[in-house]
Amino acid sequence: MGRAGWDDEYDVVVAGSGAGAMAGALAAAAGGLRTAVLEKTGLLGGTSAYSGAAIWLPGTRVQERAGLGDSTEGARTYLRALLGDDEEERREAFLETAPELVDFLEKDPAVEFRFQAFPDYFDAPGRLDMGRSFVPVELSAERLGELAALVRPPVDRDRAGRGHAASGPLAQGRALIGRLLLAITATGAGEIRTRTALTDLVLEDGRVTGVAAETADGPVRLRARRGVLLAAGGFESSTALRAERGVPGGAGWTMAPDGANTGDAIEAAVRIGASTGLLDQAWFCPGLLGPDGRPAFTLGFRGGLVVDASGRRFANESLPYDRMGRRMAAAQGPFHLVWDSRADGLPAISVPPLRAEDQLASGAWVQADALPELAEMTGLPADALAATVERFNGFAAKGADEDFHRGEDAYDLYFSGGGPCVVPVDRPPYLAARVVLSDLGTKGGLRADADARVLTGSGRPVPGLYAAGNTSASFTGPVYPGPGVPIGSAMAFAYRAVQDIRR
Ligand code: FAD
């Protein structure tokens, strides 16, 4: 053990290895700061690795390359329309940082992005119908070499403990984490420490000077000369914390990797006086249960209808997923998706993909030749279900959803390929799937300022302590403005934290 009881010394210690953590670690290491990335599990990337890795960083060179006509001003108009005067300072900091961050990242030979259409989530001034988010370019496993084994595999393979596919490039979230990992490694100043879980923060004379962590070989104390960045996800996988804070859904229904994100970093900071906000909030989504009882994030409904416990529709099923999740939270479940043989498989996108044969064989989906039979199998009131489907089919014939206006928004139409979203459900066999309120992570956590400095209850920064991603309370409050906001904002504030550390 070294001086003052430290096992190792760094300039910057980053807890977590999602998109925010890795972007922050790269900024620190590329700036010559000796940086450690601490990851609780044996794999890097967390929920970020499972993700589509859409990144909502507006007004950057990526949108410019795509000839999108995006601008910081357009995004400002959009965010202001959604968030009002709330969080003006952090919103401005985010907008100001986005172009600089993308310049910094793309300067690195390991990092490359491309625009991918995906509409913003609200019909508000400043919206771009094709969206403004972008994704990482796929990365060949060969280029990553041995490091590839460190990146968390896709969600279905990971849940089944099957590891990476033997061949093929890393895509989406894996490409993002892989690219950042490659870049960090190339700096020579970044050290990746897996199976190292932050347990506590070390406070000396009011300043955070390091962390305590648990490793396979026992506890360690790691000094952070310049700062500690907490980017270790939210508390979505903690049943107790969710219940205490009133987050709808459940730890068994979150899309985060099993058991990883249990709020450790938030709790450690709270123990030394940090304050929190938005604790009942998450990035919500509908989830379809698979044979293993785990949810698949489901979006882009282009057919079928969703009913509540009473057998009635309660929302426009094609709503952007967080908005649909919030309608579910306000309605009475259990919820069911009902569709028919008109659709070729599931009339929606699910991550992981669900195969009808497996779903039906396991009983996760049921199938019947008539609606009363389907009602019996699902426990839905038969009369109400029949009436709901009849009314829905009437809307399909008219081409207008008079109850919930499905198919009227650019987002709905994007996923229906411009065709109708209200498609009749009248061609047996009928199918039903249980839909649960899932989430992509909680979004409440440590209160932080525009430089990601963690704040005490009296609003003063805790010297040496920073937070980003789902460890921090999002500047977007209860709103999910568009695809890629969780990852885009995590990366932007992690980057700002490091700029502050370097000052
Ligand atoms: P994570 O990415 O979950 O990272 C947290 C890491 O910290 C984990 O690796 C965890 O093991 C580790 N950790 C936890 N506790 C400790 C500890 N005590 N010590 C050390 N390490 C610890 N968002 C987008 O912006 N764009 C998308 O396209 C998108 N698509 C999605 C698709 C899917 C299928 C899913 C599931 C989510 C998607 N999301 C998307 C949401 C997004 O992935 C997450 O909200 C975001 O990645 C969370 O980032 P994070 O860094 O806060 O947490």
Side-chain angles (χ1 to χ4, degrees), residues 226 321 446 482:
R226 306 283 288 272
Y321 46 89
L446 300 173

Side-chain angles (χ1 to χ4, degrees), residues 15-20 38-41 43 45-48 50-54 196-198 231-233 236 255 260-261 264-265 283 297 351 440 469-471 480 483-488:
S17 66
L38 314 186
E39 166 54 47
K40 177 179 182 176
T41 69
L43 294 165
T47 318
S48 305
Y50 286 171
S51 81
T196 303
L198 173 127
E236 51 272 9
M255 287 298 298
N261 294 347
D264 309 347
W283 311 98
F297 166 28
V351 185
L440 310 177
N470 293 344
T471 300
Y480 195 149
V485 170
I487 286 180

Side-chain angles (χ1 to χ4, degrees), residues 269-333:
V270 166
R271 284 196 291 277
I272 62 153
S275 61
T276 53
L278 285 182
L279 287 180
D280 59 351
Q281 292 295 319
W283 311 98
F284 292 108
C285 64
L288 253 58
L289 296 183
D292 58 358
R294 306 299 314 284
F297 166 28
T298 307
L299 70 161
F301 288 90
R302 54 181 185 275
L305 55 93
V306 177
V307 295
D308 62 11
S310 74
R312 295 188 188 87
R313 291 176 71 215
F314 57 95
N316 162 11
E317 296 84 348
S318 298
L319 276 175
Y321 46 89
D322 176 70
R323 296 174 62 189
M324 180 62 177
R326 287 169 191 276
R327 297 295 165 86
M328 291 173 70
Q332 187 60 52

Side-chain angles (χ1 to χ4, degrees), residues 105-117:
L105 291 171
E106 280 204 335
K107 232 186 299 150
D108 194 295
V111 183
E112 194 184 345
F113 300 115
R114 66 175 167 80
F115 172 71
Q116 181 173 282

Side-chain angles (χ1 to χ4, degrees), residues 118-122 127 129 299-301 318-323 408-416 421 483:
F118 199 135
D120 285 331
Y121 295 166
F122 290 85
R127 177 197 216 183
D129 283 353
L299 70 161
F301 288 90
S318 298
L319 276 175
Y321 46 89
D322 176 70
R323 296 174 62 189
E408 293 177 17
D409 187 75
Y411 181 90
D412 307 8
L413 294 167
Y414 176 75
F415 287 99
S416 70
C421 296

Side-chain angles (χ1 to χ4, degrees), residues 297-438:
F297 166 28
T298 307
L299 70 161
F301 288 90
R302 54 181 185 275
L305 55 93
V306 177
V307 295
D308 62 11
S310 74
R312 295 188 188 87
R313 291 176 71 215
F314 57 95
N316 162 11
E317 296 84 348
S318 298
L319 276 175
Y321 46 89
D322 176 70
R323 296 174 62 189
M324 180 62 177
R326 287 169 191 276
R327 297 295 165 86
M328 291 173 70
Q332 187 60 52
F335 305 99
H336 288 89
L337 170 68
V338 175
W339 74 107
D340 66 2
S341 67
R342 189 183 290 268
D344 180 20
L346 184 70
I349 299 165
S350 76
V351 185
L354 300 172
R355 282 167 21 108
E357 306 86 88
D358 302 341
Q359 294 295 111
L360 289 165
S362 72
W365 295 358
V366 292
Q367 177 174 298
D369 286 331
L371 285 174
E373 208 186 317
L374 197 76
E376 203 180 311
M377 294 168 97
T378 50
L380 285 165
D383 291 349
L385 180 63
T388 297
V389 172
E390 190 184 333
R391 186 171 172 80
F392 184 79
N393 289 345
F395 293 158
K398 278 191 223 168
D401 174 7
E402 289 168 7
D403 289 341
F404 300 107
H405 305 283
R406 183 172 177 185
E408 293 177 17
D409 187 75
Y411 181 90
D412 307 8
L413 294 167
Y414 176 75
F415 287 99
S416 70
C421 296
V422 186
V423 195
V425 176
D426 59 358
R427 196 176 291 170
Y430 297 101
L431 291 101
R434 175 89 189 275
V435 190
V436 299
L437 177 55
S438 179

